[in-house]
Amino acid sequence: ERLPDAMAAKLSITPSGAFHLTLEDAKVRTLENSIVMDLVTTQIVAKRNTMQAASKDYLPKLVNEFTYFHFDHDLGTVVKTPGIFNPATAISVPVINQDAPMYTAMFVQPITPLLKVREAVNITAADVGAASAQKRQARRELTKGVEQLYFGILATQQIKVGLEQAVAGAQQAAEASKGPDAQISLIQAQQGLLSANSQLVDLMVQMNQLISLPPQTDLELEQPAAPMRPFSNADEAVSAAVATSPKIQEARTQVDKAEAAVRLVEADYVPQVLVYGLYVDQGSVPAIQNDFTGVGVSASYTLEWGKKNDTYRASVATACLARQSLQKEIQDTTLSAAKAYNATQQAEQALMYAQKLAALNQQVPLPQHDMTALKAELQARLESGIAAIKAEMEYRNALVELRSMTGLDE
């Protein structure tokens, strides 16, 4: 799918030279340009073609065969006539002509093998379902990753603004006071700003790679609306996660595949019955008609020394393992969803405390005559502000994890 024209128009270079990018645009472009999504899509196409090929075995097989032999002479003779009323006479009649062409058209319709065909189709259909589940999981991971990266860039940009203000304040203090303390504070603030700039550049490069832009493109992001917790309790989150989990869906398809394999082995115990219809046009044997038609049926059963039983027991064990894997995946998903919900709750409380602390630090009056106390208070304001920004980013990331796990963003 390509970007709609309206959306493509939004993704443009702003007058300031920055590339304007919303969160939704970032997700769309990431999915559109992802090699991983191309791979899983191609895998689905391949599995679907395999399933369609397996379903063709329901139809009768049409066989067309032409043979031609040229011998050094006619083969075989009928020696003589009966000789009841006339003397017995030897007549040379070939059993097979020297030139022996034969054309046969035959259709073969399987009867009992259709049981195997049905299970083979079920097995390939399970492969298609597994590939579809893998595509959903890849989409979730990509979307979650780009959202968390987007929030990381926003948080780093906000921290950078605070550090730039701290550097400006430290610069003024260093110019007003030539003491080493002021110079130390300035250098420390500059080191913090340098680290934030380096981290921001790395995050920008990662985002540009995901959305297929040049690595050094400057991005202008939008602050998303305030996040809201989507579930009121852990049970709701767990139910949504189990109902929408691609990994559970894939595990279920493996159970379906294993059970179909058991039925496929069971079909080996049934005799193989085939129905035939044929037309023959021949010039090889003079004693029979040049062309004729016929119908027939065949039944066969192969006795093996316990191989069918061993194969059946192995397939039953494989199906049991698949069901156990499904139960384990449900348990793992349940535990992960409960943890994700609790982590979101804790991150929300941590954000509330961090914001209150930052607000209270802003309300503390700045000392006018005590430079040591002034420096300490400014540092406390800076640290509490940065802590609030990080707490918001962690809360948003926890929400992204929870929403991704429960399928709310699909």
Side-chain angles (χ1 to χ4, degrees):
E1 296 180 0
R2 309 305 301 175
L3 286 173
D5 294 339
M7 184 174 292
K10 292 172 61 179
L11 300 178
S12 58
I13 303 299
T14 64
S16 62
F19 191 90
H20 183 79
L21 184 70
T22 66
L23 177 58
E24 290 303 317
D25 295 338
K27 291 192 287 187
V28 169
R29 289 179 64 89
T30 297
L31 294 174
E32 183 186 54
N33 296 288
S34 171
I35 296 177
V36 174
M37 295 303 295
D38 290 340
L39 289 174
V40 293
T41 301
T42 304
Q43 183 181 14
I44 291 176
V45 172
K47 299 294 184 182
R48 194 165 287 152
N49 288 334
T50 302
M51 181 181 68
Q52 292 173 348
S55 66
K56 298 300 189 296
D57 287 334
Y58 282 116
L59 304 175
K61 303 296 184 291
L62 301 178
V63 180
N64 289 275
E65 181 180 354
F66 175 79
T67 60
Y68 172 79
F69 289 98
H70 176 76
F71 304 103
D72 57 348
H73 52 74
D74 293 338
L75 302 181
T77 59
V78 175
V79 177
K80 59 183 179 179
T81 61
I84 298 176
F85 298 103
N86 295 311
T89 304
I91 302 174
S92 177
V93 178
V95 176
I96 299 177
N97 291 329
Q98 181 179 16
D99 292 306
M102 178 178 288
Y103 167 73
T104 303
M106 179 172 60
F107 81 88
V108 182
Q109 174 61 60
I111 303 300
T112 56
L114 293 180
L115 300 173
K116 289 186 174 183
V117 173
R118 181 180 63 186
E119 301 312 327
V121 172
N122 289 337
I123 288 173
T124 54
D127 288 336
V128 173
S132 298
Q134 291 168 5
K135 181 177 181 178
R136 286 182 58 219
Q137 182 64 28
R139 179 186 177 90
R140 281 189 179 187
E141 293 298 325
L142 284 171
T143 303
K144 179 179 70 175
V146 75
E147 282 194 73
Q148 292 177 337
L149 181 58
Y150 193 94
F151 294 140
I153 294 174
L154 282 174
T156 305
Q157 288 176 335
Q158 293 171 357
I159 291 173
K160 178 184 174 184
V161 171
L163 291 172
E164 287 174 344
Q165 294 174 352
V167 168
Q171 182 73 42
Q172 293 178 356
E175 291 174 355
S177 171
K178 302 302 182 181
D181 290 346
Q183 297 296 324
I184 290 173
S185 298
L186 175 59
I187 293 175
Q188 289 175 340
Q190 290 171 335
Q191 286 177 330
L193 179 59
L194 178 63
S195 177
N197 279 328
S198 177
Q199 184 178 7
L200 182 59
V201 169
D202 290 342
L203 295 176
M204 288 282 194
V205 169
Q206 292 179 43
M207 179 63 79
N208 286 328
Q209 183 180 28
L210 286 175
I211 62 177
S212 296
L213 290 177
Q216 301 304 317
T217 302
D218 187 21
L219 299 176
E220 182 183 81
L221 309 185
E222 291 184 5
Q223 183 70 29
M228 298 293 293
R229 189 150 41 97
F231 301 101
S232 59
N233 55 66
D235 290 340
E236 291 181 359
V238 168
S239 298
V242 171
T244 62
S245 171
K247 292 184 177 180
I248 292 178
Q249 177 189 352
E250 183 178 1
R252 286 199 174 101
T253 63
Q254 294 306 314
V255 171
D256 294 339
K257 182 177 180 179
E259 291 178 346
V262 172
R263 295 190 295 270
L264 183 65
V265 174
E266 289 174 342
D268 285 334
Y269 291 97
V270 179
Q272 179 168 279
V273 178
L274 305 175
V275 174
Y276 302 90
L278 59 85
Y279 165 78
V280 177
D281 183 4
Q282 63 89 31
S284 304
V285 182
I288 63 176
Q289 295 89 341
N290 286 341
D291 61 337
F292 55 89
T293 60
V295 294
V297 61
S298 69
S300 64
Y301 186 80
T302 302
L303 294 176
E304 299 172 340
W305 302 101
K307 180 179 179 180
K308 290 185 178 71
N309 296 334
D310 293 334
T311 304
Y312 174 75
R313 285 190 286 267
S315 62
V316 169
T318 301
C320 182
L321 288 174
R323 286 189 286 269
Q324 291 173 347
S325 297
L326 172 60
Q327 292 302 316
K328 183 179 183 302
E329 191 60 52
I330 293 175
Q331 292 175 355
D332 292 345
T333 301
T334 299
L335 180 59
S336 297
K339 285 184 176 180
Y341 179 83
N342 293 332
T344 302
Q345 268 192 326
Q346 294 173 1
E348 187 177 25
Q349 290 180 335
L351 173 60
M352 180 184 65
Y353 292 144
Q355 289 176 338
K356 285 184 177 180
L357 185 60
L360 290 172
N361 271 291
Q362 291 294 328
Q363 295 174 11
V364 174
L366 293 176
Q368 299 297 322
H369 305 292
D370 189 341
M371 296 303 297
T372 301
L374 176 61
K375 176 183 174 183
E377 180 56 34
L378 290 175
Q379 184 66 25
R381 287 188 177 187
L382 176 63
E383 291 177 354
S384 64
I386 291 176
I389 294 171
K390 290 183 177 179
E392 182 178 0
M393 180 186 68
E394 290 173 359
Y395 176 52
R396 286 184 180 273
N397 286 341
L399 274 177
V400 169
E401 183 73 33
L402 181 61
R403 292 180 65 86
S404 176
M405 186 175 299
T406 54
L408 294 179
D409 293 330
E410 291 184 348

